[in-house]
């Protein structure tokens, strides 16, 4: 199978799962855009500025050189995933949903580097605002008009932005190199543990404010609506009362074998499987992955591959050899648990936009030989 381009314009693509899980640090990552990508010529690291405004004492107008040289550079390894990752499973396992039909590849595990958002906000100095629940730090990109709004924006609670342990950064580099245009050049937000939608690319402005970002993608998208919202019309009254997706749930996926495959057992009568597992928002790292071949009645524990870059925000790669008798229509499922005790449900609640699907990882319809 080749990589899948989900929508050409704007570009939305995910790598093929075997390629994605062939390296712990992802070079070729998925791309999710609600607008056309800015052109190379449009963005220029020498002239680009990030404005810091809102409830701050000294509004700042920061250059990329300034972001690099006036602040300590912080590196964080984390998974960045679209909240719509695995939407295909919610659509096929539960009920139809609205949104791009992502398989398991709308996630990448990278090293990101740049100043901590906290340090930038402290330089601007907060004023006239209390660090209460509703207080947010909003991110905006005005580079290209989006499909549903004229700009792209998102926000996170101020408390998260100010907490150095949450490692929210203005990323200038990915995997040791300056960002590419497709992943946010010259600067993007990285919010470990949170939905990719909050990691605003081509960042122009950061605003400390008393409410969430008013942007469409914060208010009318990326929300796990209650099951009573079954179509666009019935969803209307729930958008305003449903919180935006922030922390992502614990998850795991079986990268091999894949649904529909014919698998030859090893000489010891076992089937080799492997995949990735992701921690819940702040609950990482993943501490256990279990595999079942009898629909979840009994489980055996998978082994982790260890990597120098692994940490509380990264994915983990797991492997298992499971005993299976030859036969058709066989199923293998995986279940991850993280350090906070969060564990995957067999099937999560359905929601109209198909966000945050974290049912058991599944390989169905296997022929075992
Ligand atoms: N400016 C801007 N930032 C954006 C988006 C966008 O469309 N425009 N998409 C968001 C979404 S929904 C996701 S999942 C991630 C995807 O990041 P990537 O394209 O680098 O994989 O970027 C986020 N930041
Ligand atoms: Mo996304």
């Amino acid at each position: 199978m080749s990589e899948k381009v989900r929508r050409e314009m704007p570009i939305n693509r995910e790598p093929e799962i075997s390629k994605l899980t062939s390296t712990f640090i992802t070079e070729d990552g998925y791309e999710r855009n609600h607008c056309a990508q800015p052109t190379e010529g449009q963005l220029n690291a020498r002239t680009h500025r990030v404005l810091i405004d809102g409830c701050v004492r000294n509004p700042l107008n920061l250059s990329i050189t300034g972001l690099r040289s006036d602040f300590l550079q912080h590196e964080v390894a984390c998974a960045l995933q679209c909240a719509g990752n695995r939407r295909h499973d919610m659509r096929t396992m539960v009920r139809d949903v609205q949104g791009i039909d992502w398989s398991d590849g709308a996630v990448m595990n990278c090293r990101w580097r740049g100043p901590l958002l906290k340090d930038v906000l402290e330089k601007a100095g907060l004023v006239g605002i209390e660090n209460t629940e509703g207080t947010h730090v909003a991110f905006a990109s005005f580079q290209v008009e989006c499909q549903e709004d004229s700009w792209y924006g998102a926000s996170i609670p101020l408390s998260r932005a100010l907490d150095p342990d949450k490692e929210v950064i203005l990323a200038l580099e990915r995997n040791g190199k300056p960002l590419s245009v497709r992943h946010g050049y010259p600067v993007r937000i990285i919010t470990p543990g949170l939905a990719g939608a909050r990691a605003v690319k081509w960042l122009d402005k950061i605003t400390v404010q008393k409410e969430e970002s008013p942007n469409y993608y914060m208010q009318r998208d990326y929300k796990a609506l209650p099951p009573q919202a079954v179509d666009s019309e019935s969803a209307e009254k729930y958008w305003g009362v449903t919180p935006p997706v922030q922390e992502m749930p614990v998850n795991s996926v079986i990268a091999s074998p894949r649904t529909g495959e014919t698998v030859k057992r090893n000489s010891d009568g076992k089937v080799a499987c492997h995949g990735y597992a992701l921690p819940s928002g702040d609950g990482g790292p993943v501490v256990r992955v279990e595999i079942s071949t009898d629909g979840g009645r009994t489980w055996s524990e998978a082994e982790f591959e260890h990597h120098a870059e692994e940490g509380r925000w990264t994915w983990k790669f797991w492997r298992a050899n499971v005993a299976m008798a030859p036969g058709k229509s066989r199923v293998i499922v995986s279940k991850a648990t993280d350090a906070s005790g969060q564990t995957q449900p067999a099937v999560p609640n359905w929601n109209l936009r198909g966000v945050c699907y974290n049912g058991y990882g599944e390989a169905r319809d296997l022929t075992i030989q």
Side-chain angles (χ1 to χ4, degrees):
M1 245 193 294
S2 60
E3 77 156 46
K4 303 174 196 87
V5 176
R6 299 297 178 193
R7 265 180 211 168
E8 289 276 358
M9 193 56 207
I11 180 86
N12 286 297
R13 54 171 283 278
E14 64 184 301
E16 209 267 308
I17 190 81
S18 61
K19 183 155 180 258
L20 179 64
T21 53
S22 67
T23 57
F24 186 75
I25 294 293
T26 314
E27 285 301 336
D28 178 28
Y30 80 103
E31 289 164 65
R32 175 65 178 114
N33 295 297
H34 293 280
C35 51
Q37 282 178 1
T39 57
E40 300 260 344
Q42 178 178 352
L43 293 158
N44 182 338
R46 268 173 298 148
T47 52
H48 191 87
R49 293 289 181 275
V50 180
L51 189 69
I52 318 293
D53 70 1
C55 301
V56 294
R57 193 168 305 113
N58 322 298
L60 304 173
N61 194 354
L62 299 169
S63 67
I64 299 299
T65 329
L67 284 170
R68 213 178 271 283
S69 53
D70 299 347
F71 299 91
L72 269 179
Q73 302 295 295
H74 183 82
E75 182 161 287
V76 59
C78 68
L80 174 71
Q81 55 181 319
C82 184
N85 191 33
R86 302 194 67 203
R87 179 177 286 131
H88 179 77
D89 285 340
M90 186 168 298
R91 167 171 285 138
T92 51
M93 305 285 297
V94 194
R95 185 147 46 101
D96 200 14
V97 291
Q98 297 176 350
I100 292 184
D101 202 33
W102 294 114
S103 179
D104 305 327
V107 51
M108 60 175 144
N109 193 66
C110 301
R111 291 186 289 116
W112 303 92
R113 188 178 160 86
L116 282 170
L117 175 58
K118 167 186 171 288
D119 292 347
V120 172
L121 293 179
E122 277 172 7
K123 182 158 185 191
L126 300 180
V127 71
I129 199 149
E130 277 170 52
N131 192 353
T132 55
E133 215 183 298
T135 313
H136 269 224
V137 180
F139 315 120
S141 172
F142 304 111
Q143 295 294 330
V144 202
E145 187 162 336
C146 290
Q147 290 169 305
E148 317 283 357
D149 204 326
S150 56
W151 53 291
Y152 189 88
S155 65
I156 62 168
L158 176 65
S159 55
R160 189 169 191 101
L162 293 180
D163 183 348
D165 290 342
K166 300 293 193 275
E167 302 182 85
V168 182
I169 63 169
L170 282 68
L172 303 166
E173 289 180 14
R174 168 176 174 267
N175 299 340
K177 292 187 288 282
L179 295 182
S180 57
V181 168
R182 61 179 60 171
H183 294 304
Y185 170 89
V187 57
R188 83 178 298 172
I189 290 292
I190 286 292
T191 54
L194 303 190
R198 313 306 167 217
V200 174
K201 300 187 274 190
W202 318 298
L203 178 71
D204 289 311
K205 193 158 79 106
I206 297 178
T207 308
V208 180
Q209 56 189 48
K210 291 182 177 139
E211 59 290 309
E212 291 174 355
S213 167
N215 188 265
Y216 180 93
Y217 301 98
M218 187 74 180
Q219 297 303 329
R220 307 271 308 188
D221 197 351
Y222 295 107
K223 294 193 175 190
L225 297 171
Q228 301 88 297
V230 293
D231 52 24
S232 302
E233 205 188 345
S234 53
E236 267 318 307
K237 65 170 186 269
Y238 295 107
W239 286 115
V241 292
T242 307
V245 174
Q246 297 283 14
E247 288 84 1
M248 291 300 291
V250 63
N251 220 331
S252 72
V253 153
I254 302 177
S256 175
R258 297 295 282 175
T259 290
E261 276 181 9
T262 297
V263 194
K264 280 207 164 41
R265 297 183 302 160
N266 302 332
S267 51
D268 57 357
K270 291 185 169 172
V271 171
C273 26
H274 72 87
Y276 69 71
L278 293 160
S280 67
D282 294 331
V286 171
V287 293
R288 192 161 64 246
V289 172
E290 294 156 285
I291 308 297
S292 176
T293 56
D294 56 12
R297 226 166 31 83
T298 59
W299 297 91
S300 61
E301 212 161 306
E303 275 177 24
F304 289 120
E305 274 181 17
H306 288 291
H307 293 270
E309 295 93 348
E310 75 185 34
R312 67 183 282 218
W313 310 113
T314 66
W315 63 15
K316 274 198 181 176
F317 281 173
W318 56 266
R319 296 188 170 274
N321 284 311
V322 287
M324 287 182 89
K328 282 187 183 306
S329 309
R330 309 297 305 280
V331 180
I332 306 176
V333 299
S334 65
K335 176 173 72 169
T337 304
D338 69 15
S340 72
Q342 297 285 315
T343 192
Q344 284 175 263
V347 180
N349 288 338
W350 178 88
N351 65 79
L352 182 63
R353 293 309 312 281
V355 291
C356 300
Y357 184 86
N358 76 332
Y360 294 165
E362 291 219 20
R364 278 169 283 120
D365 197 19
L366 299 170
T367 301
I368 310 294
Q369 295 184 331

